[in-house]
């Protein structure tokens, strides 16, 4: 780049392109392991002819002999409200030489700056005054400088070689910090509006040089210290208005451990961020997290998670109900702070004087399978195996109480959390696809967990249990006539398709190439495909919706509990089976209906169950139904819509289940996975997030995979 300040003298500078505008990761001891400036993809370099920037031994060397121009290196960082930055600096300025180290927002407003001058003083500017950093520094000596900047307090605290040096208020308040700048000299301030239009004199000393000033900068490290999750693309502040709106929807007549006044703070720290062009998807995504934290209950033995906010007479200690533990685990496995999920599980298994809660046995359980799915996300071997003996005990208890002589398991509708079904009844005890699929999946999970623990014999035993039970499910619960898994009443099948027939796929139990025809029922308007979602029984059956309303009927109305299970099963089917008879369009349409169903009186709402034709919530305005915690939603967005498929090994598969032409963009950001932070970005033309066209997967802010379609991407971490 060539330019002139006075029409005669020409300045020449070198500027690396493309210029970095946004960052996805913080600096880590930079520069390091680079030999050329062009290798620095996260830095903006300004290197004039007489103020060059060079690299030497993993250091920036900024030299300057130009009376007007300057050398500059700028590290763009993720937008950060509470920043810590550390770097090493050696300075040898000559007369007129100086180094300016600035912390700025995205627009260039500088909140705090260090000035290293030719009088061998390092000072910090705050307002009109300067605070001393080093009064008489030694030329060419390397100093280690640390600064902690708080946008909330408008304050910076500076340390030199580990000792506190000064505290200064911000020079200019900023909302966040996005740039760290090292520059040899002041910014140009001429020409300005007072400069004459016609100049007849040269700029003073335009053809002279100053004595050589040299500054060495190295090992820049920055970090976010505000407690919020690290994100690469999205910022929680852009979504905080959702929590404000949700808080205003209610009178908060029931105060919980994390009240509405703390909801946004909790969400900022715990919720993976999600963005898409469909507003109702975004709103319900954040609404479900907002409502979920209401159910985090602080107990004398640790956190628990409730199903109802109102007290229920049949609940266990601390108003806990075991029916939806599996859903709770699947949803909470994505919360950034694992303390909540860990304590919720430990409360269930050890909260009764060191033993499991008494009423866990009252409801069917896929808890071991859910714990293993949580392990796929966290890779936390220590915590997961700390539950192993308790999970073994739970499995053995079901064998003692509900296993028949033929090896299958019986259960009542109520104990499945599914009262008043067509295939059963409140007091019926039949062989159902629910508990048998749960037990096969639990055996499968326990086999994997014992293998992880090195318990080969136990692992083999559970593997055999799973194999035998899968065979029995095929033999006794599959109907060739109806092409569906059904409940067995004594010696005959119930001859009714119910949503529970999809539960085997929730755990990927059926073999590939078997029973695909069952999935045609989700697009059949005489099957399960209703205007407001998937029914719990096929609509063609003569007993569909025949049991009345208002007493928790599972004879066809839509239950989010079942919708969550069926959509999770559909995700597994579309991802794990070679020739599915439905497509991502089917899944996406059902997600749209699931989203649309979660409104009541024009506002976000989640209750117990709803009418399949009108979308009306069938418990009306009953207090107990508000914020009913009996289903998943975030898990479906993360693993289905955004396609983050957790793996046991040190890898990740990404395959969004969105029709290619449906959304021009979406982003999932700040997902904790195997000790890393995952970001998935889809940007059809690259204009939304400025990270390129197509789909990108970032690990800890670094792009590790790209594609131009939603074909599966496998990433090794």
């Amino acid at each position: 780049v060539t330019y002139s300040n006075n029409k005669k003298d020409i300045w020449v500078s070198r500027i690396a392109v493309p210029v970095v505008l946004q960052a996805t990761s913080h600096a880590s001891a930079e520069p390091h392991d680079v030999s050329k400036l062009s290798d620095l993809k996260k830095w903006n370099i300004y290197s004039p002819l007489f103020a060059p920037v060079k690299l030497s031994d993993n250091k920036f060397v900024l030299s300057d002999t130009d009376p007007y121009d300057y050398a500059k290196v700028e590290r763009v960082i993720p937008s950060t409200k509470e920043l810590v930055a550390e770097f090493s600096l050696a300075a040898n300025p000559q007369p007129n030489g100086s180094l300016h180290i600035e912390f700025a927002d995205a627009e260039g407003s500088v909140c705090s700056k260090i000035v290293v001058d030719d009088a061998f003083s390092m000072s910090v500017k705050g307002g009109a005054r300067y605070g001393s950093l080093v009064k008489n520094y030694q030329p060419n000596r390397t100093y280690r400088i640390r600064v902690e900047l708080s946008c909330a307090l408008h304050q910076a605290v500076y340390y030199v070689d580990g000792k506190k040096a000064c505290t200064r208020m911000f020079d200019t308040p900023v909302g966040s910090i996005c740039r760290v700048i090292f520059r040899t000299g002041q910014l140009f301030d001429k020409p300005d509006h007072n400069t004459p239009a016609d100049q007849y004199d040269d700029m003073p000393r335009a053809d002279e040089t100053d004595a050589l000033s040299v500054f060495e900068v190295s090992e820049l490290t920055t970090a976010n210290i505000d407690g919020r999750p690290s994100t690469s693309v999205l910022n929680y502040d852009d979504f905080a208005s959702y929590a404000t709106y949700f808080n205003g929807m209610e009178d908060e007549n029931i105060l919980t451990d994390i009240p509405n006044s703390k909801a946004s703070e909790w969400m900022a720290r715990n919720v993976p961020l999600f963005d898409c062009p469909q507003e109702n998807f975004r709103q319900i995504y954040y609404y479900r997290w907002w409502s979920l934290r209401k159910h985090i209950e602080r107990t004398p033995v640790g956190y628990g998670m409730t199903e109802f906010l109102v007290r229920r007479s049949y609940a266990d200690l601390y108003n806990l109900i075991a029916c939806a533990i599996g859903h709770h685990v699947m949803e909470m496995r994505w919360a950034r702070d694992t303390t909540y999920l860990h304590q919720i599980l430990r409360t269930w298994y050890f909260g009764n004087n060191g033993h499991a809660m008494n009423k866990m046995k009252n409801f069917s359980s896929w808890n071991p399978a859910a714990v293993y799915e949580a392990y796929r996300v966290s890779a936390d071997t220590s915590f997961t195996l700390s539950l192993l003996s308790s999970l073994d005990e739970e499995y053995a208890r079901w064998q003692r109480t509900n296993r028949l002589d033929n090896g299958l398991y019986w259960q009542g509708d109520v104990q499945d959390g599914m009262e008043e079904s067509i295939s059963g009844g409140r007091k019926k005890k039949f062989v159902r696809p629910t508990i048998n699929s749960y037990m096969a999946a639990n055996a499968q999970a326990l086999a994997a967990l014992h293998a992880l623990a090195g318990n080969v014999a136990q692992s083999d035993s559970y593997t055999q249990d799973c194999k035998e039970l899968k065979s029995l499910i095929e033999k006794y619960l599959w109907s060739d006539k109806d092409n569906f898994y059904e409940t067995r009443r004594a010696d005959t099948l119930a001859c009714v398709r119910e949503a529970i027939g999809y539960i085997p796929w929730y755990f990927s139990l059926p073999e590939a190439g078997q029973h695909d025809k069952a999935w045609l029922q989700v697009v059949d308007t005489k099957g399960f495909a209703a205007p407001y979602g998937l029914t719990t029984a096929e609509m063609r059956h003569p007993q569909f919706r025949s049991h009345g309303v208002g007493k928790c009927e599972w004879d066809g109305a839509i239950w989010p509990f079942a919708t969550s299970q069926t959509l999770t099963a559909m995700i597994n089917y579309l991802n794990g089976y070679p020739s599915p008879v439905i497509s991502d369009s089917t899944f996406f349409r059902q997600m749209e209906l699931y989203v649309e169903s979660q409104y009541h009186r024009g506002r976000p709402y989640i209750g117990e169950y709803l009418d399949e034709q009108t979308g009306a919530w069938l418990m009306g305005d009953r207090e107990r139904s508000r914020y009913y915690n009996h289903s998943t939603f975030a898990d479906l967005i993360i693993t289905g819509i955004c396609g983050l498929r957790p793996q046991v090994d040190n890898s990740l598969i990404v395959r969004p289940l969105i029709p290619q032409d449906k959304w021009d963009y979406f982003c999932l950001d700040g997902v904790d996975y195997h000790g890393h932070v995952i970001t998935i970005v889809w940007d059809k033309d690259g204009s939304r997030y400025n990270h390129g066209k197509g789909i990108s997967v970032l690990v800890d802010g670094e792009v590790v995979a790209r594609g131009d379609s939603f074909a599966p991407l496998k990433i090794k971490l």
Side-chain angles (χ1 to χ4, degrees):
V1 174
T2 61
Y3 56 96
S4 175
N5 281 319
N6 64 352
K7 299 184 180 180
K8 292 183 179 180
D9 297 290
I10 301 298
W11 277 262
V12 180
S13 179
R14 201 180 279 269
I15 301 171
V17 293
V19 174
V20 181
L21 300 178
Q22 294 177 313
T24 58
S25 61
H26 278 278
S28 178
E30 298 176 12
H32 63 86
D33 296 333
V34 291
S35 58
K36 306 188 299 293
L37 289 174
S38 58
D39 294 331
L40 292 163
K41 305 301 184 184
K42 301 173 184 176
W43 289 78
N44 291 321
I45 310 292
Y46 181 75
S47 183
L49 190 63
F50 293 112
V53 177
K54 295 182 180 179
L55 280 172
S56 176
D57 297 328
N58 290 323
K59 298 176 183 177
F60 285 116
V61 180
L62 284 73
S63 305
D64 194 348
T65 60
D66 197 310
Y68 290 96
D69 219 340
Y70 47 74
K72 184 175 83 166
V73 293
E74 173 186 87
R75 178 57 156 93
V76 182
I77 61 174
S79 177
T80 307
K81 292 180 176 295
E82 305 290 319
L83 175 71
V84 61
E86 293 189 66
F87 56 90
S88 296
L89 171 66
N92 188 14
Q94 299 302 313
N96 299 321
S98 65
L99 181 70
H100 296 250
I101 304 163
E102 299 175 340
F103 302 92
D105 66 8
E107 286 71 41
S109 297
V110 176
C111 64
S112 189
K113 68 185 290 186
I114 302 171
V115 178
V116 183
D117 62 26
D118 57 359
F120 302 102
S121 170
M122 291 188 196
S123 54
V124 179
K125 189 173 187 299
R129 293 182 173 84
Y130 286 82
S132 178
L133 198 59
V134 180
K135 289 184 178 180
N136 189 21
Y137 67 81
Q138 299 176 30
N140 297 319
R141 178 195 157 180
T142 299
Y143 292 86
R144 187 66 178 169
I145 297 174
R146 173 186 171 94
V147 56
E148 298 171 357
L149 301 113
S150 172
C151 293
L153 299 175
H154 308 299
Q155 175 180 281
V157 182
Y158 285 86
Y159 301 81
V160 177
D161 293 337
K163 295 182 179 180
K164 185 175 178 180
C166 67
T167 300
R168 301 299 295 172
M169 296 302 292
F170 277 4
D171 196 39
T172 300
V174 296
S176 62
I177 301 165
C178 303
R179 306 181 194 179
V180 182
I181 302 162
F182 300 86
R183 187 185 63 248
T184 61
Q186 290 278 16
L187 290 169
F188 298 143
D189 60 0
K190 295 290 188 299
D192 60 20
H193 66 283
N194 292 317
T195 301
D198 298 313
Q199 295 187 55
Y200 300 100
D201 298 318
D202 289 345
M203 298 281 284
R205 301 184 64 232
D207 55 353
E208 299 178 16
T209 58
D210 287 333
L212 177 65
S213 295
V214 179
F215 304 90
E216 294 182 350
V217 178
S218 60
E219 296 182 299
L220 173 68
T221 296
T222 63
N224 176 359
I225 56 171
D226 68 358
R228 293 188 179 189
S230 175
T231 55
S232 299
V233 178
L234 304 178
N235 189 318
Y236 175 76
D237 290 344
D238 294 327
F239 305 97
S241 59
Y242 286 115
T244 302
Y245 172 70
F246 303 148
N247 288 346
M249 294 192 313
E250 62 159 19
D251 55 5
E252 198 176 14
N253 59 320
I254 299 175
L255 282 175
T256 59
D257 188 65
I258 306 168
N260 288 355
S261 60
K262 298 291 185 181
S264 190
E265 178 184 344
W266 185 88
M267 292 169 69
R269 294 177 184 275
N270 286 285
V271 175
L273 302 181
F274 171 65
D275 182 37
C276 73
Q278 209 155 324
E279 172 58 23
N280 58 354
F281 270 74
R282 291 201 311 182
Q283 186 178 56
I284 296 302
Y285 176 81
Y286 291 104
Y287 170 73
R288 290 298 300 264
W289 281 108
W290 178 86
S291 62
L292 182 67
R293 56 85 210 174
K294 284 179 171 286
H295 292 274
I296 296 172
E297 178 93 359
R298 189 185 296 272
T299 80
V301 293
Y303 287 117
M305 177 157 277
T306 60
E307 181 175 313
F308 295 93
L309 292 183
V310 299
R311 299 290 144 176
R312 306 305 296 158
S313 61
Y314 52 85
D316 216 317
L317 293 173
Y318 319 121
N319 202 38
L320 306 185
I321 298 173
C323 180
I325 294 175
H327 282 329
H328 297 168
V329 173
M330 294 293 281
E331 200 83 335
M332 284 297 294
R333 63 180 176 153
W334 301 109
R336 293 292 301 259
D337 188 345
T338 58
T339 302
Y340 297 106
L341 179 58
H342 289 183
Q343 290 193 13
I344 287 164
L345 285 166
R346 292 191 66 81
T347 295
W348 273 114
Y349 285 100
F350 304 105
N352 180 24
N353 294 319
H355 301 285
M357 290 291 188
N358 281 330
K359 296 182 180 180
M360 276 187 72
K361 63 181 180 293
N362 290 359
F363 291 96
S364 300
S365 162
W366 69 96
N367 298 351
V371 167
Y372 187 60
E373 289 302 313
Y375 170 74
R376 286 176 180 267
V377 174
S378 69
D380 188 337
T381 304
S382 177
F383 170 75
T384 305
L385 294 185
S386 74
L387 299 175
L388 187 52
S389 61
S390 296
L391 299 176
D392 285 334
E393 291 172 12
E394 182 182 16
Y395 184 88
R397 172 171 54 75
W398 286 110
Q399 285 185 311
R400 292 193 304 270
T401 60
N402 287 60
R403 194 177 189 183
L404 299 169
D405 291 340
N406 65 4
L408 288 165
Y409 292 80
W410 63 266
Q411 188 57 289
D413 290 15
V414 174
Q415 290 71 36
D416 262 344
M418 303 175 181
E419 306 89 330
E420 303 286 351
S421 71
I422 294 175
S423 65
R426 286 182 177 270
K427 298 183 180 180
K428 304 293 185 181
K429 297 180 179 180
F430 292 143
V431 177
R432 293 164 57 82
T434 47
I435 190 171
N436 286 282
S437 297
Y438 298 162
M439 291 302 291
N442 289 340
Q444 189 170 255
L446 288 167
L449 292 175
H450 276 285
L452 185 66
N455 304 328
V456 177
Q458 292 95 321
S459 178
D460 289 346
S461 177
Y462 278 118
T463 298
Q464 186 61 29
D465 272 8
C466 178
K467 181 179 178 181
E468 291 174 0
L469 191 47
K470 283 172 62 176
S471 177
L472 291 170
I473 290 170
E474 291 300 315
K475 182 177 180 180
Y476 290 104
L477 300 186
W478 176 257
S479 169
D480 288 325
K481 173 179 172 290
D482 293 332
N483 286 310
F484 217 74
Y485 290 104
E486 296 180 354
T487 295
R488 175 166 287 273
R489 301 167 174 165
D491 294 329
T492 61
L493 291 171
C495 296
V496 56
R497 298 182 185 93
E498 296 171 305
I500 58 175
Y502 290 116
I503 291 178
W505 282 279
Y506 185 99
F507 306 107
S508 300
L509 298 176
E511 298 296 327
Q514 288 185 332
H515 315 324
D516 294 84
K517 286 185 178 180
W519 285 99
L520 295 175
Q521 296 300 318
V522 299
V523 294
D524 190 334
T525 55
K526 294 182 180 179
F528 298 99
Y532 275 85
L534 296 170
T535 57
T536 48
E538 58 181 331
M539 288 177 280
R540 65 172 64 83
H541 196 277
Q543 291 183 313
F544 179 80
R545 296 295 307 274
S546 62
H547 291 61
V549 174
K551 295 183 179 179
C552 299
E553 302 79 21
W554 280 71
D555 59 346
I558 295 172
W559 282 81
F561 183 103
T563 299
S564 302
Q565 290 184 320
T566 304
L567 290 177
T568 300
M570 192 182 297
I571 293 170
N572 290 340
Y573 175 64
L574 290 169
N575 278 284
Y577 291 78
S579 302
V581 297
I582 56 174
S583 68
D584 53 12
S585 296
T586 310
F587 172 76
F588 188 84
R589 179 55 185 154
Q590 288 304 325
M591 282 295 292
E592 283 188 306
L593 295 178
Y594 190 29
V595 168
E596 291 168 10
S597 73
Q598 294 181 67
Y599 286 87
H600 179 55
R601 300 186 184 278
R603 294 176 297 188
Y605 181 90
I606 184 64
E608 295 180 68
Y609 66 132
L610 60 141
D611 186 278
E612 75 285 353
Q613 297 296 328
T614 67
W617 288 93
L618 295 176
M619 287 295 194
D621 293 320
R622 294 188 193 183
E623 181 63 33
R624 77 173 216 176
S625 291
R626 285 205 301 167
Y627 314 119
Y628 191 41
N629 188 20
H630 201 237
S631 59
T632 62
F633 184 79
D635 187 64
L636 298 171
I637 291 289
I638 293 169
T639 64
I641 291 293
C642 299
L644 195 162
R645 307 293 295 155
Q647 305 297 304
V648 174
D649 62 2
N650 203 29
S651 70
L652 172 68
I653 292 176
V654 174
R655 188 210 169 188
L657 293 179
I658 306 172
Q660 188 82 26
D661 59 351
K662 188 66 179 179
W663 285 352
D664 287 345
Y665 63 85
F666 78 81
C667 180
L668 177 69
D669 201 358
V671 179
D672 271 0
Y673 177 81
H674 288 220
H676 300 277
V677 180
I678 305 299
T679 305
I680 302 171
V681 178
W682 163 252
D683 198 341
K684 189 174 182 178
D685 61 10
S687 63
R688 175 72 176 185
Y689 305 113
N690 298 312
H691 284 280
K693 296 179 181 180
I695 190 167
S696 304
V697 180
L698 291 76
V699 177
D700 299 327
E702 303 292 335
V703 176
V704 297
R706 290 189 184 274
D708 56 9
S709 71
F710 292 151
L713 295 172
K714 184 163 186 177
I715 298 102
K716 295 293 291 184
L717 300 178

